[in-house]
């Protein structure tokens, strides 16, 4: 006697779909927080110019009584940034909305929002990674010289801090942007990826200094603070393929780089309906932004390249 199995009844079987939508990969959007920001007003071009004057050297000699010294010339430099537009949208049909089990409009809106934020973060990273002030972990000469043991450490961070201090980089009022505490104080900001963050947490000096330090217990994207540096995690910073997997970290001071907007990030929900959709069969959901990131002063930014144990 033949048994009736799921194979013989395949035509009458259906797939059960979970009512819960799975979480998508979250991205930490932080690279714009330490930037100098200034928007371009409407009808004022799509290019902005940032002007910075060089420090004046101290006089080389004492004054001679009754004699005016040689005058000192000012030396301005200009950095320009021209806005790029970014945007994306999805199209949903009326039947898709009516027949799909999950709330597709809400899901599409959430996904587009994360896409927009990640686009901005990746674009800012592409500017920072091109900075000309670079430090290779372990004091190696170049990227290909990095080995597996050349990881981020207190020593590397000290060297980078000294570079910014010698260059006269000022610290950033970080409280309002990073830890919701306006009295947190001024810091240099170190952006690291999660792997480098774990290297720092494993560093013996960092652990000893932060074990009982309330500053190191901040929730979220702030890993902790360490001799005037606030360490912030970004999981959007990509690695670089070389002789080892190279991780880039950025130590920045005030006015190291800028982000400017001509069009602030805006979402758009269109339809259904209109001349191109006479039967109300579809709608579009999308976003658009016009912005640009630019390095203002390479002396206020150090890119640290390292391997990682994680």
């Amino acid at each position: 006697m033949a048994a009736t199995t799921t194979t013989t009844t395949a035509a009458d079987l259906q797939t059960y779909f979970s009512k819960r939508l799975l979480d998508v990969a979250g991205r930490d959007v932080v690279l714009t927080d330490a930037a100098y920001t200034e928007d371009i007003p409407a009808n004022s071009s799509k290019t902005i110019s940032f002007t910075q004057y060089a420090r004046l050297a101290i006089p080389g000699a004492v004054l001679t009584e009754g004699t005016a010294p040689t005058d000192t010339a000012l030396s301005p430099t200009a950095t320009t940034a021209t806005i790029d537009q970014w945007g994306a949208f999805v199209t949903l049909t009326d039947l898709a909305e009516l027949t799909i089990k999950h709330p597709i409009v809400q899901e599409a809106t959430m996904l587009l929002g994360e896409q927009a934020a990640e686009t901005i973060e990746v674009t800012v990273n592409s500017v920072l990674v091109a900075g000309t002030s670079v430090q290779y972990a372990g004091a190696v000469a170049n990227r290909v010289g990095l080995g597996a043991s050349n990881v981020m450490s207190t020593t590397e961070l000290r060297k980078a801090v000294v570079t910014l201090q010698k260059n006269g980089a000022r610290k950033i009022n970080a409280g309002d942007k990073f830890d919701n505490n306006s009295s947190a104080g001024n810091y240099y900001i170190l952006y690291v990826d999660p792997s480098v963050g774990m290297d720092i947490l494993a560093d013996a000096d960092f652990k000893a200094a932060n074990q009982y330090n309330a500053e190191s217990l901040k929730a979220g994207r702030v890993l902790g603070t360490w001799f005037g540096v606030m360490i912030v995690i970004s999981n959007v910073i990509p690695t670089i393929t070389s002789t080892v997997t190279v991780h880039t970290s950025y130590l920045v001071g005030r006015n190291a780089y800028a982000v400017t907007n001509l069009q602030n990030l805006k979402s758009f929900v269109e339809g259904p309906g209109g001349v191109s959709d006479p039967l109300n069969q579809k709608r579009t959901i999308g976003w658009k932004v016009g912005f640009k990131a630019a390095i203002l002063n390479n002396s206020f930014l150090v890119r640290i390249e390292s391997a990682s144990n994680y």
Side-chain angles (χ1 to χ4, degrees):
M1 184 175 181
T4 300
T5 67
T6 55
T7 301
T8 57
T9 60
D12 197 32
L13 293 177
Q14 66 176 6
T15 301
Y16 175 76
F17 291 95
S18 171
K19 295 179 180 179
R20 183 183 184 277
L21 283 171
L22 300 179
D23 291 337
V24 296
R27 296 298 186 186
D28 296 327
V29 181
V30 296
L31 294 183
T32 59
D33 288 345
Y36 170 76
T37 57
E38 183 173 347
D39 294 344
I40 301 175
N43 309 116
S44 300
S45 173
K46 65 176 184 176
T47 299
I48 186 171
S49 179
F50 302 96
T51 303
Q52 187 171 59
Y53 283 82
R55 296 165 61 188
L56 298 178
I58 63 174
V62 299
L63 294 175
T64 300
E65 183 178 352
T67 302
T70 302
D71 60 341
T72 302
L74 299 177
S75 179
T77 57
T79 300
T80 59
T82 301
I83 296 298
D84 293 324
Q85 270 192 326
W86 296 85
F89 71 95
V90 298
T91 301
L92 302 176
T93 67
D94 56 343
L95 285 179
E97 289 189 53
L98 288 171
T99 58
I100 291 178
K101 176 180 288 292
H102 298 109
I104 192 170
V105 173
Q106 294 92 319
E107 185 70 7
T109 301
M110 183 272 291
L111 290 171
L112 286 164
E114 293 193 347
Q115 180 193 42
E118 188 174 349
T119 299
I120 293 172
E121 190 85 343
V122 168
T123 303
V124 175
N125 179 80
S126 69
V127 171
L128 295 180
V129 77
T132 57
S133 178
V134 58
Q135 173 183 315
Y136 300 102
V140 301
N142 47 43
R143 181 178 294 167
V144 296
L146 288 170
S149 63
N150 300 132
V151 301
M152 179 69 81
S153 65
T154 294
T155 298
E156 298 302 330
L157 191 50
R158 284 197 186 105
K159 289 167 60 178
V161 168
V162 167
T163 297
L164 291 193
Q165 290 175 335
K166 286 182 176 179
N167 291 339
R170 293 177 172 86
K171 294 180 179 179
I172 298 167
N173 187 345
D176 290 334
K177 293 185 177 182
F178 293 101
D179 66 357
N180 299 318
N181 178 7
S182 59
S183 62
N186 296 329
Y187 297 93
Y188 293 133
I189 305 300
L190 176 68
Y191 289 116
V192 300
D193 69 15
S195 296
V196 174
M198 291 301 103
D199 290 319
I200 293 173
L201 286 178
D203 181 86
D205 290 338
F206 181 85
K207 286 195 295 184
N210 284 268
Q211 185 174 5
Y212 302 108
N213 184 355
E215 290 291 305
S216 68
L217 302 178
K218 299 182 193 308
R221 53 197 179 176
V222 177
L223 184 67
T225 57
W226 187 214
F227 49 84
V229 176
M230 181 173 283
I231 303 167
V232 181
I233 300 289
S234 169
N235 63 356
V236 177
I237 301 175
T239 57
I240 300 172
T241 302
S242 185
T243 47
V244 295
T245 298
V246 176
H247 299 258
T248 58
S249 306
Y250 310 110
L251 183 68
V252 302
R254 197 171 79 198
N255 295 342
Y257 63 107
V259 173
T260 183
N261 292 318
L262 175 61
Q263 295 172 315
N264 290 317
L265 180 62
K266 185 177 180 181
S267 60
F268 301 89
V269 179
E270 303 294 338
V275 174
S276 63
D277 185 28
L279 298 182
N280 286 20
Q281 291 176 289
K282 59 186 178 181
R283 79 163 79 222
T284 59
I285 305 171
W287 60 270
K288 183 174 66 175
V289 65
F291 86 105
K292 190 72 170 185
I295 292 177
L296 299 180
N297 193 328
N298 275 290
S299 296
F300 298 166
L301 160 69
V302 178
R303 183 177 82 250
I304 306 171
E305 297 196 3
S306 67
S308 175
N309 289 325
Y310 301 90

